[in-house]
Amino acid sequence: MRLLSVRVQDFRCVEDSTDFPIADVTCLVGKNESGKTALLKALHKLKPDEASKEQFETAKDYPRRKWRPDTPIADEPPAVTTTWRMEDVDVAALEEQFGTGVVSDRVFTISKGYDNVRRFGIKIDEGAVAKSLIAELKVPEEELIIAGSKDPRTIQKSLAELKELSAAQQKLLDVLQQRFPKGINLAAINTLAARVPIFLYFDQYLTLPGTVSVNEIVTRQQQNKLTERDRVFLALLALAGTTLEGVHGAGTFEEFNASLRAVSNQITDQIFKYWSQNKHLDVDIRLDHSRPHDLPPFNAGWIFRTRIDNRRHRADTNFDDRSSGFVWFFSFLVWFYQLRQLYGNNLIILLDEPGLSLHARAQADLLRYINEQLRPHYQVIYTTHSPFMISADDLLSVRTVEDVVVKDKVSGEETLFGTKVSKEVLSTDPDTVSPLQRVLDYEITQTLFIGKHTLLVEGPSDLLYLKWFSRQLEKAGKPGLDYRWNICVVCGVDRIPGFVSLFQGNNLHVAAVVDVQHGHKARIENARKALADKHLLTLDSYSGQRETDIEDVLGRTFYVALVNEAFDLRGVHELPTAKPAAAPERVVKEVEAHIAILPPHYLEFDHTTPAEWLFQRDDRGASLSGFADALARMETLIGDLNALMP
């Protein structure tokens, strides 16, 4: 069966969460103290893995500002209300016991309050049950007392009032009383209750011990006093398909060594499928005699040691000495395997802030594990405030959690509404949506600007000139810029190393085209080092001058004609055809100085205006003076860029 929605009321900081939908994997996002943990805790109490530990307690769980010790807590509203949908297997199980057509509606509810009684709201067709039972027992219609009656309770009452019963009537009465002593509805609820998934709640994630005393663990096992860490270690062996006795009881050295090696290999394969931070690690489980100078209890008997072998550094370390993130990830995968073995597959998994100690890429590995290993078999609900634990491909499964306080604009008085959950991803609270914004920032950047093959340019005018001249080359029957290049504006050569660092994990093919200016040598070298060999193209190679912008590659003749048109410079205000003797080397500087002394009604100069004019008036650009030379130089630049493409 599937959990469709949840509503939590009067539980800790949650007065009424409102009804919120549950997906295959549901992510609850909110800032600290917003009530995310309270939501999971309340849901866990519906059907926990250990019923004795998870009861609603008035003094502990009822909202403090509403609780009065001398006033009994009403059963309504329930602390948690859930909506479910029966799957085909659930309907089949009910029909096998009660007859075809017994389920009137596959959607039903389960609620639980401070009396700790689960209450079901289901729709059962009792007439279908009676019809099936009568057919099964072959009771003649005329012996049903009330002609046409299909109500089992009416039939049972009528039969019980008869002084003499036929054999068929007696059998029908006996079956009704035996199978449904408290009514069909309750019997159906009992059957359905057994099929409701168990909720597994993880908050304090247990860690695997790197060193285990065999004597100690055997003693605790015999005394039925195994600790949680003991169980994690036994789960580690179970993950590899063996037991403590199976490894320790090997008859020969070769058998013993093969067992340990097999355990190590199995665990390495399963763990490192989802740990991409370091692929040069192996798990090595050893069983050694103790050493007398080791600390108790590891100075007596046999000792299991879990060690991590680093092939790159040719060194091994005790598991306990690894990073906290690695220990957490390793232990979580092992411990979940153990719980799944213990409670079966009919589970709903609640994860409270998983992976806090993990690096961003490792959190992505954990998210991949959830989607690949858990999602196909279980519903998962987890809380987070990390953008790296949110799937940009599944934002519709995110629920925002806010502790809502509304302030009156006039009086300034605040009204507390408590924790609210919304399926509207874009909350109004900036703190709540901050992780979502970070996900969207990164994803949109990649989606809109970043591709497998990314060409970095310094400004929007560079992008427009490359696009326009590429189009002119294609019109002339020559190769334009390879369509696979995605042009991205980074606004300065200084930003290229940061860009490459940010996206290098995505295996992008990146090249860059940059200006050359006095004092930029170190910046250009830093950008060059960040890119692959020959993937930084400096524009001085195409202009024939030391300091160069993209406008110098176009040539002074073409660019001056373009600026005169774009800014509508006429007569005495027109840029001269011949370059003045005192003009700067870069044509942009010459143009800036010229326009700066023009009358105020002329537009101020910026790089983009001429490029936009050219791009918007496609045909007129080719008629400007110097076009042929500009096209030839841009053809060389575009050809060199295409040559970088695999």
Side-chain angles (χ1 to χ4, degrees), residues 186-227:
L186 185 58
I189 287 174
N190 290 336
T191 299
L192 199 60
R195 303 185 63 82
V196 173
I198 291 172
F199 288 86
L200 285 185
Y201 174 77
F202 294 81
D203 59 349
Q204 296 179 352
Y205 299 87
L206 300 173
T207 57
L208 174 75
T211 308
V212 174
S213 167
V214 174
N215 291 356
E216 292 286 316
I217 198 170
V218 168
T219 299
R220 288 194 293 270
Q221 197 171 36
Q222 292 172 345
Q223 297 174 348
N224 198 26
K225 294 182 178 179
L226 287 174
T227 66

Side-chain angles (χ1 to χ4, degrees), residues 453-468:
H453 307 284
T454 299
L455 174 60
L456 305 181
V457 296
E458 292 194 68
S461 57
D462 303 69
L463 183 153
L464 293 173
Y465 288 133
L466 282 168
K467 289 285 189 180
W468 189 83

Side-chain angles (χ1 to χ4, degrees), residues 9-82:
Q9 296 170 274
D10 290 338
F11 180 78
R12 299 187 184 179
C13 63
V14 187
E15 294 190 13
D16 186 353
S17 69
T18 69
D19 194 66
F20 58 95
I22 300 296
D24 290 342
V25 174
T26 304
C27 175
L28 302 180
V29 175
K31 60 185 180 182
N32 292 331
E33 302 300 320
S34 62
K36 302 188 301 295
T37 295
L39 293 167
L40 292 191
K41 286 277 191 180
L43 187 54
H44 182 220
K45 293 175 187 293
L46 188 69
K47 189 179 179 182
D49 45 313
E50 295 184 41
S52 61
K53 294 183 179 180
E54 291 293 343
Q55 299 287 310
F56 285 105
E57 301 176 26
T58 304
K60 177 181 177 183
D61 298 325
Y62 199 75
R64 287 288 188 273
R65 71 190 195 93
K66 296 177 66 175
W67 184 46
R68 301 293 181 269
D70 56 343
T71 304
I73 300 298
D75 293 335
E76 293 293 337
V80 59
T81 303
T82 54

